[in-house]
Amino acid sequence: MVEIPETLPARMFLLAYDLNKKRLALSGGTLGYLLRAAALTELYLDGRLTEERRRPTPGTPGEDPYGLIAQISASRPRSWQYWVRKDGRAMVRTVREELATGGWIRVRHRRRLGLFPYDEITVRDPRVVKSLWGGASSALRGRPVAHVNSYDAAAVALAAAGELKTVLPAPDRRRHKRRIEELTARSGPAAPAARKVIRAVQYSTAATSGG
C-alpha cells in the first residue's frame, strides 16, 4: 500500500501536480488560495475551527500546523474569503518545504536560458499522486456521500473550486455537478470561499487584459 501525506494541504499540492507535464498545473497565486482553503477545511473538519455568522472562529483546541488558528484568533472576525486570500504564496512555500522535507518531492533550483531562476519540482513516487487521484475518483463516483472519506470528499470540493484539471477536467465537473455540490456541502465553507476568490481574480485579470 502506498503511503500518502497526512495533511490536506500536502495532498492538494500533490494533486495539483501534472505527472505528464512534470510540473504544477496551477499558478502560484491560485495554488496558494487552494492550499489555504485546504488548511481551513482540515481545521474545520477536525473541529479546530467552527463558524459563527459565516466567519471562521477557533473551536476545539488542537494542533495548528500552518498557524491559521493563531491568525484568526488574533484578528477581528473576517470572512472565509479573507483567510483564503491571506498569505497564499507563503503557504505554497510552506507546503512545498513540508513535502520536500518529508521526501515526497524534490526541488531543484534552475535557470531558464541561463538567466531566469525557477524551481523545478519532481514527485519522487508518482504512485502517491495516482493514489490520491484514486481517492478523489472514488469520492466522485462511488459510495453514498455520507460514507466517503472526509479528506477525499474535500479533495473533490477543493479541486472543483480551483478548476484543477488534473483531478477534475471540465467535462467531469459538468457531468458530476450534483455530486460535487454534495461533497462540497459536506466539506465546509472554505471550498466555496476559494471558488469565489479564484473567480474574482480570474475576472479581474481578464478585465485588466481586455479579455
Side-chain angles (χ1 to χ4, degrees):
M1 185 174 180
V2 178
E3 185 179 358
I4 60 176
E6 292 184 1
T7 71
L8 190 54
R11 295 184 185 195
M12 293 311 301
F13 188 105
L14 292 174
L15 282 170
Y17 190 83
D18 189 323
L19 289 176
N20 293 323
K21 296 180 179 179
K22 293 182 169 48
R23 61 179 175 82
L24 292 167
L26 296 177
S27 67
T30 302
L31 181 59
Y33 301 142
L34 199 65
L35 298 182
R36 289 280 298 191
L40 290 165
T41 297
E42 178 175 307
L43 295 170
Y44 181 84
L45 291 174
D46 290 348
R48 286 171 281 169
L49 279 183
T50 60
E51 184 179 44
E52 290 184 8
R53 298 180 181 179
R54 298 185 179 181
R55 291 172 170 81
T57 186
T60 305
E63 293 184 8
D64 185 19
Y66 301 102
L68 273 71
I69 297 174
Q71 287 184 335
I72 292 169
S73 299
S75 170
R76 65 177 175 82
R78 295 181 183 271
S79 69
W80 290 95
Q81 291 179 56
Y82 173 87
W83 295 113
V84 167
R85 286 193 301 265
K86 183 174 176 58
D87 299 335
R89 290 187 182 277
M91 187 70 174
V92 174
R93 292 192 295 270
T94 297
V95 177
R96 187 180 67 180
E97 183 176 334
E98 171 189 341
L99 288 167
T101 301
W104 306 101
I105 63 173
R106 180 186 295 110
V107 181
R108 291 190 180 97
H109 304 295
R110 304 286 199 188
R111 287 185 180 272
R112 289 190 179 92
L113 305 176
L115 297 173
F116 307 105
Y118 73 99
D119 291 328
E120 179 186 79
I121 297 173
T122 305
V123 171
R124 289 180 178 270
D125 186 352
R127 294 178 303 167
V128 176
V129 176
K130 292 175 181 178
S131 178
L132 291 169
W133 284 348
S137 178
S138 176
L140 194 63
R141 298 175 176 84
R143 64 186 68 180
V145 168
H147 298 157
V148 172
N149 175 278
S150 60
Y151 277 18
D152 289 339
V156 172
L158 291 160
E163 298 181 1
L164 187 53
K165 295 178 183 178
T166 50
V167 180
L168 284 175
D172 281 356
R173 292 201 303 273
R174 292 191 294 269
R175 185 179 306 116
H176 300 288
K177 181 179 178 182
R178 179 64 182 273
R179 177 79 171 189
I180 291 169
E181 289 173 350
E182 293 173 351
L183 293 168
T184 299
R186 184 184 158 185
S187 301
R195 182 175 64 248
K196 291 177 182 177
V197 168
I198 291 167
R199 286 184 177 178
V201 170
Q202 289 172 340
Y203 178 82
S204 176
T205 301
T208 300
S209 63

